[in-house]
Each structure stands twice: as structure tokens, then as C-alpha cells.
Amino acid sequence: MSKKVNKYGLSRDIPFNVKREVRQRCGYGCVLCGSLFCEYEHFDPPFSEARKHNAKGITLLCAKHHDDATRKRLSCKRIKIADSKPFCKQGNKPHYLFEDMEYPLEIALGGIVFISPDGVLLKADQKDLLSVKQLNKDEPPLVSAYFKSVKGETLEIVENEIMASVGSWDVETKGAEVIVRGSLRDIFLHLKFTPPSRLQIIEIKNYLDGHVIDTKFGGKLFLRSSSGGTIDFDQGFIATGGKVTFDSHKGIVIDGGALILGAEKSIPFYMDLDYLLGEVRKLQQSGVFKNENG
Ligand SMILES: [Zn+2]
């Protein structure tokens, strides 16, 4: 195990603002391959010789390339060149393919839970925002999504491959979570994958052609179509879908699933997905609603 401090007493913990500066400079991906999930590598000087955490001397490397660097399979010269021309600043997007996906799939968007869904789950006029498909019976489900912030930043998932936009103010990853920010206190999207079968949209502020999807105060979900139709999933409201469509003329349409408004128990202020899924299962078992998907 590596020591917590180097010979100058410098801690391995890099301040968050230095990390963000490194991410912004590197385009949010490994400077060699663009992987979205990265570690921080002191290359100039190496950590053992560093007296402070200088953002210019730290770069982003995926676990594989970080290991190559640590075990001297990659030269410092090569890392310096890659740092000066990061992969994601050459017209590429930071990306990561989630390969470990299987049914039954649980996708949670604030207070809406899509269980074992197939097809388009969330749609804004003609644009699919969230969909699931399976090419063959034995193959994993393929999740696709398109999210857009009010500033125009996007985050896409194309058949389980997540792709962030380099123009974002910040894209932070930790474990299997991705957080995209428009500014320090403005979270556009906070996603969490729990392989093999769960995707949780913990926070979102999605604006597309006047259609709004906004989680406020944790799990609370606010939906508004460009025509003014509004659904406010306040405390204690659960929906299982189904399909949600934002329509410029008709408002918001939920069909194909079941919508439970005013559930007896209130959902905790900060949405706990395990709790929510437990409530949904209890409702399913009690036969309160019929879900076509089972
Ligand atoms: Zn890499």
C-alpha cells in the first residue's frame, strides 16, 4: 500500500478545486484513451518529489493507463505529450461502456421507477430521451439516453456507452457515479449505475425545446411540457412506468404503466431508491396496480 504522505509531508489527497482544474484541462477523460472514469497522476514532478499539488503537473489517466505509468510500462515523456494534447480535446468525447447490464432492469428518475422496461420510456416530442432495447434474447439490455442542460451541455448514453460533453463546466466521476455541473452549485445531472441492473438518475435539470425535467430537493420530480402541462411529484407520490411523453400540444402523457399518486406513506425527503423500490414492490404484491411489464 502506498504511503499517505510523501517525504515532504504532502498528502495524497488532492484538493477538489485542483482536481477540477485538471479535469477541465484534460477534457474529463483519460488523456490517452478518453475513458470517463479516471485517476489523478502526478507526472511533473512525480508525487514522490512534489512539494504541492500543482494542477499543471497532474493529469487524468484511466486505471489501466495509470497502472502502466506506475509500473513503468509508459514513459513520462509519453504522458507529457498526451497531457499537452488530451484525447478528449481532439474532437473525442469522454466515454465509458457499461458492459455489466442485465434484466430485470430498474431505472429510477426521481420518483418515477421504470421496472423491466423495454422500448421508449421518456420522450419529448419526436426525440427519445430514455429507451431500452434488447437485440437478442440472451444479450444484455441496451440503455440509451439523451439529456440536455439549460446551457446546452449534453450527456448521452448510446447502447450502454455513456458520453459526456467536453464543453461542460465540470464532469466528475466517482465509483460508478457521474456528476455533470454547469457551475459550482449547479448540478445538471447526477447518475448512478449499480450493475448489473440499476440506473438511478439522482438529480437532473433537463431542458429540451421548452420541456423541463427537474429534480428538486433530492427525489422530488417536477415535469413541465412546453405547452405548460405540469406534473409535480411531491412527497409521497410514486409512479411506475410505462412511458412518459412530453408533447408540445398535449402536455405530459403517461401511459402503458401505472401511476400511483398520493401513496399512503411519504417518501423520505432525500430519495432513497431502495426504500422507493421496496414501496413499489409492496404495492405490486398487494395488487394495487397492474403493470403490463409484470
Ligand atoms: Zn486510458
Side-chain angles (χ1 to χ4, degrees), residues 30-35 38 60-66:
C30 171
V31 290
L32 283 153
C33 71
S35 175
C38 287
L60 283 188
L61 293 177
C62 67
K64 181 202 172 288
H65 284 126
H66 198 185

Side-chain angles (χ1 to χ4, degrees), residues 130-144:
L130 185 61
S131 64
V132 179
K133 70 176 177 185
Q134 191 179 33
L135 294 178
N136 295 301
K137 199 170 172 292
D138 299 323
E139 294 200 22
L142 299 174
V143 177
S144 293

Side-chain angles (χ1 to χ4, degrees), residues 257-277:
L259 176 66
I260 306 294
L261 294 176
E264 290 299 310
K265 288 180 185 172
S266 66
I267 301 299
F269 189 67
Y270 186 83
M271 187 64 70
D272 176 336
L273 184 59
D274 288 318
Y275 178 89
L276 179 62
L277 286 168

